[in-house]
Every structure is written in structure tokens, then in C-alpha cells.
Amino acid sequence: MAHVIDVLPFDSSEFADNPEPRCPCVLVLDVSRSMAGKPIDELNAGLLAFQDELAADTLARKRAEIAIVTFGPVKVERNFQTAEDFRAPVLTPQNDTPMGAAIDTALDLLEGRKAHYKQAGIGYYRPWIFLITDGGPTDSWQKAAQRVQAGEGRNFSFFAVAVEGANVEILRQISKRPPSMLKGTKFRELFQWLSSSLKAVSRSQTTDSVKLLNPGTPEGFGWTEIK
Amino acid sequence: MACALIIMKVVYTPGNVPINLGDELGRGGEAVVYAGTHPTFRAIKIYSAVPEASLVQKLHILVDLASQRLSSFCAFPLSVVLDRPGGRVIGYAMPRGEVGLRPLHQLYGPRDRKEYFPDATWKFLVHMARNLAQAVALLHETGIVVGDLNPNNILAGPRGDLFIVDVDSFQVANATKVYRCTVGMPDFLAPELIGARLDAVDRTPAHDNFVLATLIFHLLNLGRHPFQGRWKSPEEFSYEFAISDHRFAYSSSAAARGIEPPPLTLDLTRMGGACAKLFERAFVGSISTRPTAKEWVTVLEALRDNMRVCAHIGTHTYLDDGLPCPWCQLEEKGAILFNFVAAVSASTGLDVEELWRRICLVDPPPQMQAITLAAASPDSAAIRFFATRRSSLTLAVIMAALCVNIAAWSSLFSTLIPSEVLAAAILVTGFVSFLSWATGPKLSVYENRLKQSIDARDQLLLHSERNAAARFEAKRLELKVLCDVLRNFPARRAAQVAKLTARARDLQLADYLDRYSIMRAFTGRLGIGKLAILLANGIDSAKEVSYERLVVIVGIGPAIAQQLVDWRTACESKFVFDLASGVPREQLARLDGNLFLESVRVEEQVRLGTIELEKITRDAVETKALTAEAILSARYRVEKARANLRAAKRGDKG
Ligand SMILES: Nc1ncnc2c1ncn2[C@@H]1O[C@H](COP(=O)(O)OP(=O)(O)OP(=O)(O)O)[C@@H](O)[C@H]1O
């Protein structure tokens, strides 16, 4: 039963060391000028708490894989890393809001990662893409929106989170799922919700599909509000 | 309601035994587990919400089923606990898992295993799999279905012990009702349960058996899921699909299903034919072919007892199938799946204790029986010697006395015998007697003879009995010292690794701190001017921050210096040393290489020494009869010489 390919196209030893199935999650974060001040501070604090909470769960730390794409300009701040290795970056406010290009980058990153899983024979759960923005795209976003629409529910789950000031109308056109409104700067609560949702794949469930906590309720860390 | 339960400090059994709640031992989705301050009730699970009536009934059934045997490997409910005497049930008491227990995924996942179970070998993993099968078999015998069998709920200990927690989720039944297990993990679920609502189905032992096989596979294939492989079809991966489609990636029929084993994994064939067959039956077959827990126990025991140790790396154990070490093969491809341990006895696959055991098996040389010699009687010559010497002396003395008397009495005797004649006769007799006393054999001859015989005897003893024993002891001591040197290899290695690790940690920390940019962290907090000064002085990340370095910079006062140092401390506190990527592999390899060469030399010395040790004893045994005779006669000669001397001195006849 010899393996067909003996010369490995990429280093799969990381998967030999940790063969747990992965739950990839890309955070697409707006770091445009308007995020300066409290929002970016809270976002940074939220990311740190996110790192700590995932790392504390013995199984989720091996399963959840985090990547971070920031925009503007578009930058892969962190490529995919399991939560045990993930270190939250310290983000600083930059320029404009090229949201379309950022989403494209995130989708490409995800495609590439899934190809690795496939070659390494590693299982995975439906990936998550999390877009957080307080503005509207300053580039063309229609093509990215199409890709999101086509992949939603099949290749990944896409969530858009609108921070005060976001162009909710465009977010609605990008994401099939209605965007969630962040209450004030409750980034920490948002990331608490996200980490416990990611941890869910490492826990026992009543059904085989992962149940999400309602983010509008205290159990779901109450980070959204109806507008 | 949830909060009220958590602040409780004392809970009560139905018999009003109070139990104090101690430290938190763990927490899950629906409960918190505390240490209990009672010799029997050492762990207490308190639900976050008041349990429903059916859960309480289930707990009572479980308490009735509890036995010493089940409690030895399960956190089995021993009693429900109440919020106050006669109050409502808020949880249950159970035995406590020993410290050092870790969830099963930390044992089968190589990265965690290398950290938390550093010495675990494949044999240990097989042993653990066997223990798990045995535990499930016992539960099934008791009429229990585990249901939510998963790597979070199974805890493993470093000595092969096993502890299953979350027992209140087990499925139990009484005459009237089945108390279900309502949960499961999607990757640890039998195909027939996929897509089902788990709170709406009765679970069966067959469901457990599927998950048991899945967990055993994880243990044997170092964390690999049997249904995770390289799949060719374009669709997304999902456990639901892979499991229900029987896509067992290692199956002999895997290719036909469009899947192949992942790279860097153990071939199914290297787990032995019997094991491979059971996996095929479990994963490709149907419910009816699924192996039972009992079947697994037998097959895994056989596998565990048919292992060999790699000739190069001591932590590599594998099925003794005549093929090369699979772990070395995987290492060559870049997957280091077991910690390096200087292969202390790489040349033979023996370990130090085995070498030492062999040394201890060598019998010491035989001891000569302590024969008590009958007292030796002196030779007649010695007796005569004494008698002759005594009579010669006496005669001489008498004759001398006579001569004196004759002079006085001569007038009296002269009439009878002419006195000149008499005197002459007496003189001659006396002189001859004196002469024979003075010139006859001396006593010193006997003394010398005794001394010589003692020397001869001691010489012989030294070369035989006592010498063999002493040589044996000396050699054994030398071997013991060498074995201690071998035993000390892991400690020496650990010490050297610790040194390398400390160095690596410093480097990693510096690297880590380098990522914290001062510009990013302090823009807005410090004026641009100050930031520029810092940059100009080469201080641009937390790595460069130190109080001494900062205070001397013109324009940076102690307050800012302190602020920066605090920040650095905060950054540093978040640093987690990554052991895995810590010490470069080449450094470890060089270290292990050196230790290996040295260990081979020492081991060779031990081996040769053991042969010498055996030779000492063998020689002693072979010459024992001869030597014994020689010694006996030497001892006899000493006794004889002693008796002779005694006789010669005093006329003793022994
Ligand atoms: N008897 C025990 N001794 C020591 N530790 C225990 C014991 N029981 C449970 N624990 C620890 O507490 C944790 C939670 O326990 P348990 O799984 O029973 O809680 P739960 O709320 O039912 O969890 P879940 O959400 O998985 O159902 C376990 O993972 C384990 O680490």
C-alpha cells in the first residue's frame, strides 16, 4: 500500500505532528483610518482574548486555524496557523478601505489552505470567513461579492459584522447572511462568541451540525443589536 | 438559577453527609467539577442548571450500578448530591481521576504526546488501546452503552491507566425506560447515526464499537482519523460523507473509493494482519461485521506482545514483522513522531536494566565448604625429638652432678671401684649427653616448618577461593559503575537539552519581542518626537527595551523608561515558548549522535565485562575440586606442623 506520491509537494510534517481535523477561520479586518482610537484598541484587545481563549482549549487549539487579512492596504497579517501557534498581531490604523480586494485575498488564502489539507489527507470543518468593517469599500467589490455568494454554505460560511459607520447596504449585497451590527465597540464579546463557536467542533453536540449561539443574547455574549 | 448553584460551598449526600467543595477540577458545557473533601467522594459534579427529573433518575440508576471495578476506570456516580440536607439534587459525587491524566487526544497527537507523554512508545499506545477496549468491554458487560465515546471524555495516565469521565452521559436502562445519551462528536459517530438527532435514538453497543475502533485507530496511527485521507473527488471533505460512504483511507479497497492514505502515516499492514482485518471489518464492513470490544482486547494484546525495539532509536518500537523500523522510515521523510532517546543499547536493542539483569544473573564463584579438620597428631620424630633432648639434657646434668659428688664421696667409693675410672665414665656419659642435646635437631626447625606451611596455605587460598570471590566482586563493581553511566545518559541528555533549550528560549523570546513594534504600540501614547529619539537610538521593538538602556538617552526620562519597561514586561508575559520549534534539529541530532557513540562504547565494555565475570565464576567452578583438595592438604600440613612444634616444645602428643 505504498503512497502514490513519495516526493511531497509541500511540507506535510506539520500535519504529521498534529493530524487533528482543522476548522479554518479567516478574519478580514478593516484597519482604515476611521478605526483609529477606541475601535482599533478594542479590536486588538479582542484579538488577544481570542488567542488566549482558543489556546486554553486542549482540543480546539489543535483544530482551529486562524488567518488574518487586513485592509487598507490589503495585507496578509497572519497566514493560517493553529490556535496553539497563533499570536494576535497588534493592528494600527492605515489608509482606505479596499474591501473587495481583501475578500478576494481571503478567499484565495482559504483555497490554498484547503488544497494543503487535501494533499496532506487532513479533514476539516466548514471554514469561516469573518469580515469586520466600519466603512464601505473604496475599490470594486462586485466580483468578490459573487465569489462569496457562490461559496456560501457550500465551501464556507461568510459572516459580515458592521461596526458603527459601516455601509450596511453593500454588506447586504456581499453576504448572503444578513450582516450583524456590532454593539458599540464590543469586539471582545464578538471574539468570545467566535472562539466558543470555533470550540464547538471539538465538543459533543446533539446533532452533527454545529449549533451557533445567538449573538443577540447574553449566552451568545450579546455583541449584536438590531438597528 | 445557574448562579445560585455555583457559589455553593457545601453539598450533602441523601444520607446528610456534608461534602465541602474544593478546587475546580474542570468544566464542561453543562457543569463544573470540583474536588470533594471526603475520602470516598473526591470529585463532585455540579450542574449549571437544576437537572431534569429524568437525569436525576438516571443518576440514581448509575449509583445503583456503581462498583469498585467500574469506579476504578470511570468517574462513576457514587451518590447524588443535594444543595442542603433534604434539598434538591444538583449534581453527583464520584471518584477523582489522578493527577497526570490527560485527554486521549493529547496522547495520540504526536506534538502533544512528545510533550506530555515524552517516553511513550508505540507499544505504550497499543497497550493503551487494549486498556480502552477492555474498559468498553466491561461497560458493555454491565449493560451500559457509553454513547458519547470521545477523546475529551477519556483521560489517559502515564502508567497506562485510563479514566472515563462524563459518566452521566452514558446510556442506561431499567425495566421501564432507556435513559439516553443525547450527544456525540461528529468525527466520533457510527455511520448509522450520521444525521440523526442523538437525543431521539437509542444507542447500542455496536455504535460504541465503531467509535472504539476509530479511537484505537487514532492510537495506533498517531492521531490519524481512519476516514481522513487524500481524496480525489472535487467535493469538500466532510466526516458525514466520508464515514457513511465507508471511505476508510487505509483499506485495501480504498483506491476503488477514490481515497488513499495520507502521507507520513503508518501502513495498515504494519499493524499486523489480525488488526488490519478488524479495522476493515469495523470501517468498511457493516454493523454485523463490526468487531466487539472483547475481540479488540485479544488482538491488541497479541500485537502488544509481539514488538521489537529499533536498533537505532530506543523509543521506536514496532511490530516484529521482519521489516525495517517504520518510524525511522517516516523520520527520513521528515516526520519526527517520537522523542529522540539516545539509543543506549542500540547495537542489541537491550536496555540498561536488561544488561544489569544479566550481570546479576552471573553466580558468584562457589565458596569452599568449611571443613573442620580433625586435630593433627604430631609425628613420632617430633615426640622423639622432645624425648631425646630431654633425656640427653637430664643425663648430662645427672652426670655433671655425679662428678661433683664423686669428688666428695670418693673416699667412700674408692675402696670398691677405683675413683678415677668412675669419674671418667661419668664424665664421658655426661659429655655425650650434652653434646647430643646441643647438636641435635633444633626447635627452630619446627617453627620454620610451621611458618612455611602457613605461607603455602595462604598462597593457595589467595589464588583460589578468596581470590575468585574478590576478583568477582571487583569486576561486578566495575560493571555496576558502567551501568550507572548508561543509566545516567537520559539525565545527561536532559541536562544538555535543557541548556540548548534555554538558549533557544532566549532567542525565541528576542524574536517574539522583536515583533512588538514601539511605533505601533506607542503611537498616540508618546509624542512623535520621543518616538523619533527612540528610533534614532536603535530602540524600535520591545526587544531593545531595558531600563538601563533607556534612562541614559537624552530626552527619555525615567517615567517614559518605566512605561516602556512595563510594556515590555506585559509583552513578555504573553510569550509562550514553543518547545517543538525550539532547539534546532541538527543540534539535537549532534547531541544524540555523540551520546550514542559513547553509549555504544560503554555498552561494549559492559558486555565484555559480563563475559569476564562469567569466566571468573566458571574457572572457579572448574577447578573447585582440585583446589579444594589442595587447600585441604595445605591446611592439614599447617595443623601438622603446629602439632609437631607443640610436641617438640612440650612433648604434647596432640
Ligand atoms: N472525576 C473527575 N476527576 C477529575 N477530573 C474530572 C472528573 N470529572 C471531570 N473532570 C474534569 O472536568 C471536565 C469536565 O467534566 P465533564 O466532561 O464531566 O463535564 P460536562 O459539563 O458534562 O462536559 P461536556 O460539555 O463535555 O459534557 C473533564 O474534562 C475533566 O477534565
Side-chain angles (χ1 to χ4, degrees), chain B residues 59 174 225 236 247 253 282 328 438 489 519 623 653:
Chain B
L59 289 177
N174 61 11
H225 195 286
E236 298 275 354
R247 291 192 173 200
S253 61
C328 283
F489 267 97
M519 280 303 278
T623 56
K653 295 198 175 156

Side-chain angles (χ1 to χ4, degrees), chain B residues 617-628:
Chain B
T617 300
R618 203 172 44 245
D619 286 353
V621 170
E622 270 167 16
T623 56
K624 183 183 167 193
L626 274 176
T627 318

Side-chain angles (χ1 to χ4, degrees), chain B residues 42-109:
Chain B
R42 294 182 56 225
I44 316 293
K45 182 166 182 170
I46 305 285
Y47 294 110
S48 320
V50 178
E52 288 172 16
S54 70
L55 176 54
V56 174
Q57 286 160 16
K58 184 187 199 177
L59 289 177
H60 283 298
I61 296 175
L62 284 166
V63 168
D64 287 344
L65 279 173
S67 67
Q68 191 91 42
R69 195 166 190 204
L70 293 175
S71 297
S72 69
F73 66 90
C74 285
F76 224 87
L78 301 173
S79 167
V80 294
V81 298
L82 318 174
D83 55 352
R84 62 197 142 73
R88 57 193 178 166
V89 173
I90 54 162
Y92 62 90
M94 59 190 150
R96 178 171 168 181
E98 293 311 319
V99 278
L101 289 172
R102 303 203 155 263
L104 200 68
H105 61 80
Q106 293 195 332
L107 175 64
Y108 62 59

Side-chain angles (χ1 to χ4, degrees), chain B residues 25-31 33 43 45 75 94-97 153 163 165-166:
Chain B
L25 299 179
R27 103 189 2 246
E30 25 183 74
V33 177
K45 182 166 182 170
M94 59 190 150
R96 178 171 168 181
N153 288 344
F163 199 63
V165 296
D166 208 13

Side-chain angles (χ1 to χ4, degrees), chain A residues 1 4 6 16-17 19 21 62-63 85 90 114 118-121 123-125 155 202-206 208, chain B residues 105 110-112 114 148 150 152 183-185 187 195 198 224 228-231 233 236 239 250 262 333 520:
Chain A
M1 208 198 289
V4 175
D6 258 324
D17 233 12
K62 296 190 278 190
R63 294 187 165 193
D85 291 324
V90 181
K114 285 205 287 195
K118 209 163 172 170
Q119 287 176 61
Y124 58 87
Y125 295 91
N155 307 115
S202 313
R203 289 240 185 84
S204 305
Q205 317 273 333
T206 309
D208 53 21
Chain B
H105 61 80
R111 182 166 166 180
D112 280 342
K114 285 184 278 182
D148 188 17
N150 74 52
N152 280 324
V183 289
M185 272 172 75
D187 38 342
L198 297 177
R224 298 291 178 158
Q228 281 179 9
R230 279 182 171 161
W231 65 106
S233 48
E236 298 275 354
Y239 281 112
Y250 302 77
K333 294 185 188 166
R520 282 213 223 147

Side-chain angles (χ1 to χ4, degrees), chain B residues 295-367:
Chain B
E295 280 181 85
W296 277 114
V297 173
T298 318
V299 167
L300 290 169
E301 278 176 0
L303 177 60
R304 178 194 63 196
D305 297 336
N306 186 22
M307 295 262 177
R308 64 177 295 135
V309 180
C310 168
H312 305 293
I313 293 181
T315 40
H316 289 179
T317 54
Y318 58 98
L319 172 66
D320 191 4
D321 54 5
L323 296 171
C325 172
W327 312 122
C328 283
Q329 291 177 327
L330 289 176
E331 262 186 25
E332 270 163 35
K333 294 185 188 166
I336 301 169
L337 296 166
F338 294 91
N339 284 326
F340 278 112
V341 160
V344 153
S345 349
S347 56
T348 57
L350 289 178
D351 58 17
V352 193
E353 297 319 316
E354 181 59 28
L355 289 174
W356 179 241
R357 206 177 57 82
R358 264 193 57 193
I359 294 168
C360 293
L361 281 179
V362 181
D363 286 325
Q367 286 205 332

